[in-house]
Amino acid sequence: MSTATTTPQRDTAQQEGEGTQHARRFGLPIATALVMGNIIGGGIFLLPASVAPYGTISLVAFGVLTLGAIALALVFGRLARRLPQTGGPYVYARAAFGDFAGFLAAWSYWITAWVSNAALAVAAVGYLDVLVPVHESKAATIAAALLLQWLPALANLAGTRYVGAVQLVATVLKFVPLILVAVGGLFFFDSANLGPFHPGEGSALGAVSASAAILLFSYLGVESAAVSAGEVRDPRRNVGRATVLGTLGAAAVYLLGTLAVFGTVAHDRLVASTAPFSDAVNAMFGGSWGGTAVACMALVSMLGALNGWTLLSAQAPYAAARDGLFPKVFTVKRRGVPTAGVLVTVVLASLLTVYNYTAGTKGVFEILVLVTTFTATVPYLLSTAAQIYFLLSGQSEKVSGARLARDGVLALAAFGFSLWLVAGSGYAAVYQGVLFLFAGVLVYAWMAARKQRLGARGVNPDLAA
């Protein structure tokens, strides 16, 4: 077992960026906005049409996923009370199982972040094209995608004060129109538009699983507040609350929005729709202005998600680098933000974006996006396993037997949910994801050997440049 099990992580005010005018700890509202903004990116604008072929039984899959996400959120809240440091899943996995497990959590989470950022930027260009035609020129399309990635990166480099401000504004601008559509659509709801409950020939369980596989990615991000715990005020108290509130808020928007679209757009039209929320607005109020309105909402949504994910993409490597498990450059921090991590992440995402447009290998890019569903669940599995370990090894707080049993049930439910996420990501995604993880093993071997070598010389590897 590594020293991580006995030595608390150093998370001093100076290390976390307090004391500078551009670094500011997040309060509960901004932490909640971070969770909601990262869970809800641009996917909500396509989800109703994506699951429409499975019928309204897909709402059952939504419900199951919501329960699993809430269980996961509660577990992250419990873990944050125990270990309220920046890094989230990395911190929990390392504390329970040692350096290697911590590295795998950080490595897989980092892959998830920068590949997801590239995907979000590419998807955002599609909505931008509704407002400003850019697809007629490949150069303009690439430039727009890169701009959509670098604007949130620049906001992050300006400091946590600006990250929080952008996230709060983006969340408000995103959810006001979404809630108006979700709630307003209920007044125009027509049950005749719902279509069959289960139109397929297979079993109902198979339909739930199939639709859940499409919806899996929609709940990634529940760990956002835990990953940024070092930047949250009173993390033992606020991380858990923000995680649960953010997850519940996102779930409410997902369920109400999907139900409203199901009830306002005829089923046969919804199955073929490429802009279901636009169709819903058009059906509710008439005209054809819905496409423009939804394009604006989608852009705000994706920019907010890019802003939050850019911060998260730098946090796990930062925490791992402080412990000598990632290159030391990732510890560079200015104005409360790990600047090196932000820059490396946005550069990698930019390169992937350019490759997608120039190589024309859409299938490869889609596989990489599916890989993020798998790589994101690796930290989830390790985190929930860490909670189970803490509960079973006698390291849990001195609590009543009833509370201990409740936490154990929550941890097992979250672990099962995480396994379901892995299964739903598909064989190809798991195969590609394992290759990504094995590539990380080589990096770990290099960093572990360096740490051992410095230790043999009497040099503290955590302080070595």
Side-chain angles (χ1 to χ4, degrees):
M1 189 67 65
S2 77
T3 56
T5 58
T6 57
T7 304
Q9 299 225 357
R10 299 180 308 281
D11 221 76
T12 64
Q14 182 179 6
Q15 287 172 318
E16 297 301 339
E18 289 189 72
T20 65
Q21 63 175 342
H22 299 287
R24 177 178 294 175
R25 299 249 174 175
F26 302 150
L28 180 60
I30 291 180
T32 302
L34 183 68
V35 175
M36 292 181 71
N38 286 345
I39 291 177
I40 300 181
I44 188 172
F45 297 99
L46 298 175
L47 283 176
S50 299
V51 298
Y54 299 100
T56 52
I57 196 173
S58 58
L59 295 175
V60 176
F62 250 132
V64 174
L65 285 171
T66 299
L67 291 176
I70 291 173
L72 195 59
L74 289 169
V75 170
F76 275 120
R78 300 288 191 276
L79 288 166
R81 292 180 71 87
R82 177 190 298 276
L83 297 164
Q85 291 97 23
T86 292
Y90 159 75
V91 175
Y92 314 144
R94 183 171 183 256
F97 308 121
D99 285 352
F100 185 58
F103 172 84
L104 285 181
W107 178 262
S108 57
Y109 195 83
W110 184 52
I111 292 171
T112 301
W114 64 263
V115 176
S116 296
N117 280 2
L120 277 172
V122 171
V125 171
Y127 287 100
L128 178 65
D129 191 59
V130 176
L131 306 175
V132 182
V134 294
H135 278 157
E136 295 178 0
S137 168
K138 181 176 289 188
T141 302
I142 294 175
L146 295 180
L147 180 64
L148 289 168
Q149 291 179 62
W150 280 90
L151 284 177
L154 293 175
N156 273 264
L157 293 174
T160 52
R161 165 187 286 185
Y162 301 102
V163 175
V166 170
Q167 197 65 29
L168 190 58
V169 170
T171 300
V172 171
L173 292 178
K174 170 169 53 179
F175 284 107
V176 167
L178 282 177
I179 291 173
L180 285 176
V181 172
V183 177
L186 299 180
F187 292 96
F188 296 86
F189 191 91
D190 184 353
S191 59
N193 291 325
L194 291 177
F197 178 71
H198 174 36
E201 298 180 354
S203 67
L205 180 60
V208 171
S209 298
S211 55
I214 297 175
L215 300 170
L216 293 178
F217 193 75
S218 62
Y219 276 107
L220 298 182
V222 298
E223 73 292 338
S224 302
V227 173
S228 296
E231 281 68 46
V232 177
R233 285 198 301 269
D234 191 9
R236 295 183 188 276
R237 178 184 179 89
N238 286 333
V239 166
R241 290 185 173 187
T243 301
V244 174
L245 289 175
T247 303
L248 287 173
V253 172
Y254 275 147
L255 291 169
L256 283 176
T258 303
L259 183 61
V261 173
F262 274 15
T264 53
V265 182
H267 181 260
D268 56 347
R269 184 181 178 188
L270 181 60
V271 170
S273 175
T274 57
F277 269 77
S278 294
D279 293 337
V281 171
N282 292 338
M284 289 162 57
F285 304 111
S288 59
W289 55 272
T292 300
V294 170
C296 292
M297 288 188 288
L299 280 174
V300 171
S301 175
M302 292 179 182
L303 282 172
L306 280 166
N307 180 66
W309 275 105
T310 298
L311 174 64
L312 296 185
S313 68
Q315 298 290 22
Y318 165 76
R322 285 189 317 172
D323 299 320
L325 299 180
F326 255 59
K328 206 65 179 176
V329 67
F330 285 94
T331 62
V332 177
K333 205 170 190 182
R334 298 287 185 274
R335 298 173 175 177
V337 174
T339 53
V342 169
L343 287 171
V344 171
T345 294
V346 73
V347 167
L348 286 173
S350 298
L351 291 174
L352 181 58
T353 301
V354 172
Y355 171 77
N356 174 61
Y357 281 118
T358 56
T361 51
K362 183 179 179 181
V364 173
F365 187 78
E366 290 175 345
I367 289 175
L368 290 173
V369 172
L370 286 174
V371 167
T372 63
T373 303
F374 169 75
T375 56
T377 56
V378 173
Y380 291 175
L381 284 168
L382 290 171
S383 296
T384 52
Q387 174 71 343
I388 294 171
Y389 167 78
F390 290 139
L391 293 174
L392 296 179
S393 63
Q395 297 187 39
S396 58
E397 296 82 1
K398 295 184 181 301
V399 296
S400 64
R403 184 172 178 182
L404 190 63
R406 180 200 64 188
D407 285 352
V409 170
L410 278 174
L412 288 173
F415 188 84
F417 174 67
S418 300
L419 281 178
W420 192 29
L421 291 176
V422 172
S425 60
Y427 292 109
V430 172
Y431 171 75
Q432 298 287 342
V434 169
L435 292 180
F436 271 99
L437 290 182
F438 283 175
V441 172
L442 182 62
V443 177
Y444 175 79
W446 167 45
M447 296 305 302
R450 176 181 179 274
K451 192 173 183 179
Q452 178 69 25
R453 191 168 59 251
L454 291 173
R457 296 175 185 173
V459 179
N460 186 339
D462 293 348
L463 301 179

